[in-house]
């Protein structure tokens, strides 16, 4: 699909020129369609058209994967204590600029048995989808370098800011041995401070192999994570970190 979309972008202007002689609206339609086929998978998280996005993991057990975005922040220590108390393992997708300032938090996350993923260097959430190729590469590779300097090796997982990506993202990921991770349960917890609403959004999507997306660094982040963990565990699920060979693209 990716190759069809990119080929369409190249061919569309020439096709539009030819069609222009018969139909101006038809010419504009061709251009609009070619751009729409790029914008849709760019702006819609988890859409696979430009390359694979892992949205589940393979398991026959009642297991889910908790992923926490946007750290490390002031509540990292409290989250680690919460996870220890509940027997939870998670993956933290961190911003390179924050990891650079708080390397001890990154080391502590790993020391406590959790894993680290790349969430870009500065998390340009409003513009990541339209950044040029060189800037996409800088965001991903600079974060990788920061984490490699702290931990001795770069991460293997990447999550795009707010899930957006453009045609430049997957080539950079391939070059750096990174896997793009999406989610299958999302609470929009950056838009609310109500733990009940967060639980209400997450729980309908809980199933074996679900990837849960939550965030840290907000006023109620710890409370919201605690509520989700308690509700999920009450249903008999365990929080695990799956190996990369069990990650799947089907939502």
């Amino acid at each position: 699909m990716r190759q069809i979309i990119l080929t369409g972008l190249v061919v569309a202007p020439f096709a539009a020129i030819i069609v222009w002689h018969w139909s101006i609206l038809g010419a504009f339609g061709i251009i609009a369609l070619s751009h729409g086929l790029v914008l849709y998978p760019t702006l819609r998280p988890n859409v696979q058209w430009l390359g694979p996005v892992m949205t589940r993991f393979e398991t026959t057990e009642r297991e889910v994967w908790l992923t926490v975005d946007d750290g490390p922040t002031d509540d990292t220590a409290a989250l680690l204590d919460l996870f220890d108390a509940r027997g939870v393992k998670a993956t933290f997708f961190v911003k390179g600029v924050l990891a650079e300032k708080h390397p001890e938090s990154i080391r502590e996350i790993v020391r406590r048995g959790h894993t680290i993923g790349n969430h870009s260097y500065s998390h340009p959430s409003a513009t990541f989808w339209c950044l040029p190729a060189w800037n996409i590469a800088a965001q991903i590779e600079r974060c990788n370098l920061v984490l490699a300097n702290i931990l001795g090796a770069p991460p293997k997982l990447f999550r795009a800011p707010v899930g957006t990506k453009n045609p430049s993202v997957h080539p950079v990921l391939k070059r750096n041995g990174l896997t793009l991770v999406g989610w299958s349960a999302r609470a929009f917890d950056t838009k609310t401070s109500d733990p009940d609403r967060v639980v209400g959004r997450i729980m309908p999507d809980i199933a074996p192999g679900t990837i849960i997306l939550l965030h840290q660094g907000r006023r109620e982040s710890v409370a919201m994570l605690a509520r989700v963990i308690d509700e999920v565990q009450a249903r008999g699920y365990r929080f695990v970190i799956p190996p990369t060979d069990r990650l799947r693209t089907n939502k």
Side-chain angles (χ1 to χ4, degrees):
M1 187 66 176
R2 173 188 175 85
Q3 195 55 51
I4 293 173
I5 291 172
L6 298 183
T7 301
L9 276 181
V10 174
V11 172
F14 300 101
I17 291 171
I18 295 171
V19 172
W20 181 278
H21 296 288
W22 292 277
S23 171
I24 294 175
L25 287 178
F28 278 114
I30 290 172
I31 296 298
L33 176 62
S34 66
H35 283 72
L37 288 174
V38 174
L39 285 175
Y40 178 73
T42 293
L43 298 175
R44 291 286 295 177
N46 296 334
V47 173
Q48 315 282 329
W49 295 1
L50 296 175
V53 186
M54 303 301 150
T55 57
R56 303 197 68 83
F57 66 95
E58 190 176 89
T59 181
T60 58
E61 307 294 328
R62 295 175 76 83
E63 298 174 331
V64 295
W65 181 17
L66 177 60
T67 63
V68 183
D69 285 9
D70 291 358
T73 48
D74 291 341
D75 58 6
T76 297
L79 284 179
L80 292 175
D81 290 342
L82 170 67
F83 294 168
D84 282 351
R86 301 293 201 278
V88 170
K89 296 303 179 187
T91 297
F92 289 73
F93 285 93
V94 301
K95 303 176 186 179
V97 65
L98 297 180
E100 206 166 38
K101 293 177 182 177
H102 305 286
E104 71 288 347
S105 293
I106 300 298
R107 295 189 189 99
E108 183 65 8
I109 289 170
V110 173
R111 189 188 73 78
R112 300 239 202 151
H114 309 286
T115 57
I116 297 291
N118 181 328
H119 197 33
S120 79
Y121 181 75
S122 64
H123 196 274
S125 56
T127 59
F128 188 80
W129 69 276
C130 62
L131 293 180
W134 68 268
N135 207 330
I136 291 286
Q139 282 288 333
I140 295 171
E141 292 176 351
R142 189 174 180 186
C143 184
N144 252 24
L145 181 61
V146 167
L147 295 174
N149 287 338
I150 295 171
L151 298 174
K156 297 298 184 183
L157 304 175
F158 174 74
R159 174 170 285 150
V162 297
T164 60
K165 67 277 182 200
N166 65 29
S168 299
V169 170
H170 277 88
V172 177
L173 298 182
K174 183 176 181 180
R175 184 166 71 240
N176 288 275
L178 287 161
T179 298
L180 181 57
V181 178
W183 55 82
S184 36
R186 181 186 191 185
F188 294 95
D189 52 315
T190 60
K191 308 294 186 184
T192 181
S193 58
D194 183 356
D196 288 334
R197 293 185 67 184
V198 169
V199 168
R201 288 168 175 162
I202 289 288
M203 295 310 296
D205 293 322
I206 295 300
T210 290
I211 301 174
I212 301 172
L213 165 62
L214 289 167
H215 296 79
Q216 64 176 113
R218 278 74 178 178
R219 183 166 57 89
E220 298 295 333
S221 291
V222 177
M224 290 189 286
L225 275 154
R227 281 291 308 281
V228 169
I229 290 169
D230 289 345
E231 293 287 340
V232 171
Q233 289 182 330
R235 290 195 183 181
Y237 282 84
R238 296 187 303 117
F239 290 89
V240 301
I241 301 172
T244 55
D245 63 359
R246 286 169 58 193
L247 300 183
R248 297 292 178 262
T249 57
N250 58 308
K251 187 174 179 183

